[in-house]
Amino acid sequence: MRITLEDLQLHPIVVSKTYSPGALDYHGADFRQSAPLKVEARAELSGSEIHLRGHLATTLEASCDRCLGAVAIPVERNFDLFYRPVSTLAQAEEVELPADELEVGFFSGDGIELADVLTEQVILSVPMKVVCRADCRGLCPACGADLNLAQCGCRPAAEGSPFSSLTKG
Ligand SMILES: [Zn+2]
Ligand SMILES: [Zn+2]
């Protein structure tokens, strides 16, 4: 769904949509959307900027960084975003954005693509570190056994072993 300046000049746009898993392209992100994504939003013009605010909710599935097991990540996010025409970027190049304007994006052409905004917001919601539970013991670096299920009997890997990089954290 495209939100265009032309439409916004006539009236604000109210969005209420559901995207099935697979409908949005997360550009090779290492998670998948495992439930429908629901979005409620309102777009309106604010001077020459597009002001888009709303709420999205979905569930993602990613792999635990330690044991590679599946982890469900519920995502609930409010967003309040301003998009400036990219033509203003050159003029404002020297101007530093004040801290409260960090959520300003830019658009070129006739408007913004809602799907692009949503995929960006979802990607921003994913934690840096995904673990199935805080005390996940991960996989044995030597034999690959899931240490949550059983101790494998290997000796703990020495620091700097070629396998130590395989178990983050
Ligand atoms: Zn785990
Ligand atoms: Zn082992």
Side-chain angles (χ1 to χ4, degrees), residues 54-73:
H55 178 260
L56 69 83
T58 187
T59 304
L60 308 176
E61 189 181 286
S63 297
C64 173
D65 285 347
R66 295 183 197 155
C67 73
L68 308 180
V71 185
I73 306 171

Side-chain angles (χ1 to χ4, degrees), residues 64 67 132 136 148:
C64 173
C67 73
C132 59
C136 172
N148 297 307

Side-chain angles (χ1 to χ4, degrees), residues 140-145 147 151-155:
C140 170
C143 73
L147 300 176
Q151 258 309 341
C152 56
C154 298
R155 288 185 305 158

Side-chain angles (χ1 to χ4, degrees), residues 6-56:
E6 198 180 348
D7 288 343
L8 290 173
Q9 271 152 11
L10 301 175
H11 50 73
I13 294 174
V14 174
V15 178
S16 178
K17 273 179 84 74
T18 300
Y19 292 85
S20 309
L24 292 169
D25 179 3
Y26 294 104
H27 307 287
D30 51 5
F31 60 81
R32 64 182 191 88
Q33 183 189 324
S34 57
L37 180 148
K38 296 197 180 86
V39 56
E40 307 279 343
R42 179 185 167 91
E44 59 196 353
L45 276 187
S46 169
S48 62
E49 298 179 358
I50 296 174
H51 184 196
L52 177 69
R53 64 201 151 101
H55 178 260
L56 69 83

Side-chain angles (χ1 to χ4, degrees), residues 146-165:
D146 185 340
L147 300 176
N148 297 307
L149 302 177
Q151 258 309 341
C152 56
C154 298
R155 288 185 305 158
E159 280 293 317
S161 93
F163 298 106
S164 62
S165 64

